[in-house]
Structures are given as C-alpha cells and as structure tokens.
Amino acid sequence: MTPSRTGEDCRLKFVSALRMMQDCSELWIDSEPAYRDYFRANNIAQLLVSRQVDVLRVPRIKEKLTITTGVFGCAGAFGHRNTIIYDESGAPCYATWCVGAFVNLNTGRMSKIPAEVVNSLVIDAKYGMEYLDRKITVPAGESANHAPVEVLRDDIDYNRHMNNAQYARIAAELLPPSFEIKRFRVEYKIPAKLGETLHPQTLATENGCIYTRLKNKSGLSHAVLEFCDR
C-alpha cells in the first residue's frame, strides 16, 4: 500500500482499489496463452459490462495486500470472474464479481469464443458472496444535475475509450465527504471517448444509496453507478 494509492486518512482510495483489481484481471490474460493468443490474432478485447464490489475493510498505508482473480464462468460472448483483495492475514478486504463481454475491435460487435479456447481456461470456484443483478435500476425520484465533465487524454486507455475506473472516480467525487462506501455496483453502457462531455446526475435514497448516471449530450447513459453505505 503505497502513498499514491491512499487518501488524506491514510486509507486505500476506493478508485485505487478498483484500478488494482482491474490491473490484476488484465495481467491474468498472460496466464491463459490460448485465450491470449486467440484474442490477439482476432483483435478481440474483453470489455467490462458490470462490476459489483463489496467493501469488507479498507486497508491502511503500508499494508501488504494480495490481489487474486479467476474466471468462474465463460459462455458465448460473456465471461464471469471474481477478483478479491486480501490482507496479510488472508482476510478479504474487497470481494468483487464482474461480467465482461468479448468484443471485436474491428467491427465493434460482440464475438463468441470458440469452444476449444473456452475449454482451455482454468475455471475457478465461484466466490461466496451475495450476487446482485448486473443491471442497475435507478429508483424513481428527482435527480440532481451536476457540472459537466470533459473526457481528457489521461482518462483514455489502450482500448481508446475512457478507462472503467474513471467513471467511478468522477461519480465518487459527487458523494458527500462523510459517505463510507460499503457496496458499489456499476453498469457500463456506452464507452466515452476523448473530448466527449459527461453530464452527471445523482439521486439519493433513504436506504443509504446514491445513484449516479453519467450521460452524454443526447441524454443516454455512458454508465450507471450505485454507491451504498450499508
């Protein structure tokens, strides 16, 4: 746990935890050569569709953490994985599951993976956690509009759109300073690209959740996010 990953309270920033888990998932590809080589040969990328994060304990500066990831399901054009951050004692700090879609970067369309590639994967046991729906329904109510946010060069990753963690960073900035994230969900819809403008809307509920929609100029959502403090 290095200083650049912590906030003023010397605890791991939520977005830093997302980036660590995201990096672990990307590095996982090298452990599956048949999968990796097929993707490279056919210009296919795994793009995140949704993620759920349960925050069990927020680590502090200089703690030593271990991040693990594994696929527990893969069929057609979708894969399902768990990524867990453990502390030195082996206790989980963050438990997550996500859905990824396999997309052909030449056509922009989803691509099914051949059975022989799927069968080559190591399939791990599904982690024991509560699995909520990957689709997020924003409750009825009046939303608050916030200042627009431009997608900058630093937001873009090698897939040439805004990196997944940046949506959470933008939405987290709109949370009250005292808000303690216990559970997080995000549903990705339309990739945001360089120079586009996001129009955030938030809605708070009585049960301790804040919903954020990051919309484009046409009113369509790039991403829908849910932050809960219990």
Side-chain angles (χ1 to χ4, degrees):
M1 272 284 296
T2 55
S4 62
R5 292 192 172 117
T6 64
E8 61 183 359
D9 59 358
C10 292
R11 299 197 305 164
L12 180 62
K13 296 176 183 177
F14 180 72
V15 174
S16 293
L18 288 182
R19 288 174 174 147
M20 291 160 64
M21 292 184 284
Q22 185 172 273
D23 289 344
C24 181
S25 296
E26 288 294 320
L27 293 171
W28 164 91
I29 294 176
D30 289 331
S31 71
E32 297 286 354
Y35 179 92
R36 176 199 62 203
D37 295 346
Y38 178 83
F39 271 46
R40 289 177 179 173
N42 293 277
N43 201 23
I44 293 173
Q46 52 178 12
L47 303 183
L48 204 60
V49 173
S50 67
R51 184 188 290 279
Q52 174 187 330
V53 181
D54 289 353
V55 182
L56 308 174
R57 184 181 74 81
V58 180
R60 296 188 62 82
I61 191 168
K62 295 188 178 181
E63 285 194 52
K64 294 181 180 179
L65 305 175
T66 298
I67 305 100
T68 69
T69 194
V71 171
F72 64 82
C74 185
F78 295 95
H80 301 75
R81 74 166 60 242
N82 293 121
T83 306
I84 316 295
I85 297 182
Y86 295 94
D87 64 19
E88 287 185 81
S89 72
C93 297
Y94 299 82
T96 84
W97 82 280
C98 66
V99 179
F102 310 132
V103 176
N104 186 304
L105 297 178
N106 296 324
T107 65
R109 296 179 178 178
M110 290 195 296
S111 178
K112 291 185 177 181
I113 305 303
E116 60 269 23
V117 176
V118 173
N119 292 337
S120 74
L121 293 174
V122 174
I123 303 297
D124 292 302
K126 191 175 182 179
Y127 185 80
M129 61 182 290
E130 182 182 11
Y131 287 76
L132 301 182
D133 197 315
R134 69 175 182 85
K135 291 185 176 294
I136 299 174
T137 300
V138 178
E142 186 175 352
S143 297
N145 295 312
H146 299 269
V149 179
E150 183 181 354
V151 180
L152 305 176
R153 285 181 295 175
D154 190 54
D155 297 325
I156 304 301
D157 64 18
Y158 66 86
N159 288 317
R160 299 181 180 177
H161 59 229
M162 191 162 83
N163 185 265
N164 296 323
Q166 301 290 23
Y167 297 87
R169 177 187 61 79
I170 293 169
E173 287 290 337
L174 304 175
L175 298 174
S178 61
F179 192 92
E180 186 80 12
I181 302 170
K182 297 296 185 183
R183 173 170 278 172
F184 167 79
R185 289 193 298 154
V186 56
E187 180 185 356
Y188 297 99
K189 292 179 174 288
I190 305 172
K193 297 184 179 180
L194 179 64
E196 290 190 295
T197 300
L198 309 182
H199 300 270
Q201 289 184 336
T202 60
L203 185 148
T205 64
E206 294 181 355
N207 65 349
C209 293
I210 296 177
Y211 294 85
T212 303
R213 285 176 284 208
L214 300 177
K215 295 186 173 184
N216 62 18
K217 61 182 179 181
S218 300
L220 300 176
S221 293
H222 288 288
V224 180
L225 306 95
E226 176 192 67
F227 298 88
C228 296
D229 65 0
R230 63 193 71 174

